[in-house]
Amino acid sequence: MSFINYSSREINCKVVYYGPGLCGKTTNLQYIYRRMNPETRGRMISLATETERTLFFDFLPLSLGEVRGFKTRFHLYTVPGQVFYDASRRLILRGVDGVVFCADSQLTRVDANVESMENLRVNLGDQGYNPDKVPMVIQYNKRDLPGIASVSELHALLNLRNVPEFEASATTGVGVFETLKSVIKLILIDMKKTTR
């Protein structure tokens, strides 16, 4: 849940990029880090293996101006997508305000996407969240590669909640900020509802 510090007038929100291994979660954060003004972002922290796979998480804090006199800070995390890091994924989901599900559009990764989405729903439930209520967007990444599934196929398999969805190529930046802006908007709408 978002943390509101009334004395310093700050709102801190947590966004988690979730998805199967090698779908482009870290690439999203790296692109955002490169494109953001250094004065509005913190240091990006990555814990990766020797083969550049995410071992625990990537973390990137962003300051995005003020909402009603409160400074807003979004803390972006990725989870390790590899199956055997499930305990890490559950831990990283604690306190989440919004999720970007990053799907790999390649036909060979369709089953991995479905498995990861099911894992996300189970892990959100284990953390006490209603998986149908958490603000979420879906990004269909790697649209620039050959051998990809159609958006309608991916939508039918993954987007059962009919949440906002974006085509993307995180390596070139296509769809990266559109995805981020959408999840931030959903988080702010959700906060407005819950703080009434």
Side-chain angles (χ1 to χ4, degrees), residues 66-109:
E66 293 190 2
V67 174
R68 296 187 180 177
F70 283 80
K71 292 178 194 165
T72 55
R73 296 181 194 275
F74 288 86
H75 303 270
L76 311 183
Y77 291 81
T78 69
V79 297
Q82 299 162 80
V83 174
F84 45 86
Y85 289 124
D86 196 45
S88 298
R89 285 192 291 276
R90 282 196 302 271
L91 185 64
I92 293 165
L93 278 175
R94 265 191 211 155
V96 70
D97 295 295
V99 174
V100 172
F101 185 84
C102 185
D104 188 328
S105 294
Q106 297 178 95
L107 286 167
T108 55
R109 301 294 293 161

Side-chain angles (χ1 to χ4, degrees), residues 7-33:
S7 61
S8 63
R9 299 191 66 78
E10 283 184 3
I11 301 171
N12 290 278
C13 301
K14 183 176 186 178
V15 178
V16 174
Y17 281 69
Y18 209 97
L22 298 173
C23 68
K25 300 176 294 291
T26 298
T27 308
N28 267 273
L29 264 61
Q30 289 170 335
Y31 185 83
I32 293 165
Y33 178 80

